[in-house]
Amino acid sequence: NPFDVAPDRMRQWIEDVRSVRAKAGKHRVVGSIEDAYRRLLLNHPYIDAAILRGRLEHLVEPLSDGRVKWRFDPLHKTISPSPFYAAHFNAFAARITCPVLSVSGGPEGFRPPDEADRAASFQKLERRELPGAGHMIHWTRPDDLARVLLEFWST
């Protein structure tokens, strides 16, 4: 039974939240700002280096000794207390009556195996693709994404 995992997931989530609270104020140091920049370059090869450089100051927090730490919500490191069920998603999607836009970054972007089933659940879905944009479309192709969004919102 897939629902048998629910108590274990909830327990894990509670433990994760406790762990996050216990570590409050502690941080993992990245190193220098240049170290952080090099890590961004390695982890995001599809994103223009100038864009990464421009976002860097928003992604790190300076420490008193000149080093930096990543800015992030520590709760993102916790497991969700409820698993994702595609059937639940599809039931909610089926009730959405307004037009919906789905923008894909092409094969390099996130593509769940049941993507077609999820998309078919929406009553009024328009799909657009920005080939080569990958998962971080708003960083790799911000102007193209803005154009697609403005076209959709103006109709």
Side-chain angles (χ1 to χ4, degrees):
N1 179 349
F3 298 109
D4 289 342
V5 302
D8 296 329
R9 283 186 70 105
M10 184 63 72
R11 176 180 299 281
Q12 183 63 54
W13 177 73
I14 291 169
E15 290 173 9
D16 288 350
V17 170
R18 284 180 179 153
S19 175
V20 164
R21 286 184 178 156
K23 294 176 185 173
K26 299 174 185 168
H27 48 269
R28 274 187 36 216
V29 175
V30 178
S32 70
I33 195 148
E34 289 307 310
D35 293 331
Y37 179 61
R38 283 190 289 277
R39 282 186 55 188
L40 284 175
L41 288 170
L42 285 172
N43 290 322
H44 301 286
Y46 297 108
I47 301 174
D48 182 87
I51 292 172
L52 292 175
R53 177 66 77 185
R55 302 289 192 277
L56 188 58
E57 69 179 85
H58 304 289
L59 299 173
V60 297
E61 185 175 326
L63 300 172
S64 60
D65 62 3
R67 297 178 301 165
V68 297
K69 68 175 184 171
W70 293 116
R71 289 184 179 167
F72 72 98
D73 182 345
L75 291 177
H76 283 293
K77 292 191 172 219
T78 64
I79 187 171
S80 169
S82 304
F84 174 82
Y85 293 108
H88 289 175
F89 173 88
N90 292 345
F92 279 93
R95 292 193 180 191
I96 297 173
T97 59
C98 66
V100 173
L101 175 66
S102 171
V103 183
S104 161
E108 300 85 4
F110 175 71
R111 307 302 286 259
D114 63 342
E115 179 178 10
D117 291 337
R118 293 184 197 191
S121 297
F122 291 97
Q123 295 179 35
K124 300 174 188 171
L125 179 67
E126 181 179 330
R127 299 179 81 176
R128 299 291 298 272
E129 184 171 300
L130 297 175
H135 179 68
M136 304 283 280
I137 300 170
H138 57 295
W139 284 13
T140 56
R141 307 262 301 273
D143 293 340
D144 292 332
L145 178 59
R147 180 183 43 76
V148 166
L149 292 172
L150 290 171
E151 286 172 4
F152 178 75
W153 291 331
S154 68
T155 58

